[in-house]
Amino acid sequence: MCRAMEKMRDESLREGERKNALRSALTMLADGVPCEKVAKYTGLTLSEVEELVGKKPA
C-alpha cells in the first residue's frame, strides 16, 4: 500500500476512535460519571471532557 493511502487509513482510524471516545464520554456524563473518571476511561483530556458537560449524547 502506498504511503498516502496508509496515511489516509491511519487518519480515518484516529477520527473514528475519537468519535467513539466522545460518544462514550457523553453517555458517561449523562449517567453522572465524574469528569475525571470519564477522562481516565476514554483517553480524552479533562478539559475536553469538561467542554462536553451539558451536551446531549447523540
Side-chain angles (χ1 to χ4, degrees):
M1 187 181 311
C2 71
R3 291 192 192 273
M5 290 182 71
E6 287 178 7
K7 184 178 177 184
M8 287 174 45
R9 182 196 65 200
D10 291 344
E11 288 174 5
S12 178
L13 288 172
R14 279 193 299 274
E15 183 179 321
E17 289 172 352
R18 178 157 175 79
K19 284 182 181 180
N20 285 335
L22 291 169
R23 187 177 10 245
S24 294
L26 286 168
T27 302
M28 294 171 76
L29 290 168
D31 286 345
V33 178
C35 291
E36 292 80 8
K37 287 200 179 207
V38 174
K40 177 180 178 180
Y41 294 122
T42 62
L44 298 172
T45 65
L46 184 56
S47 61
E48 288 174 315
V49 174
E50 289 171 341
E51 288 179 19
L52 297 174
V53 173
K55 294 186 179 180
K56 297 192 184 252

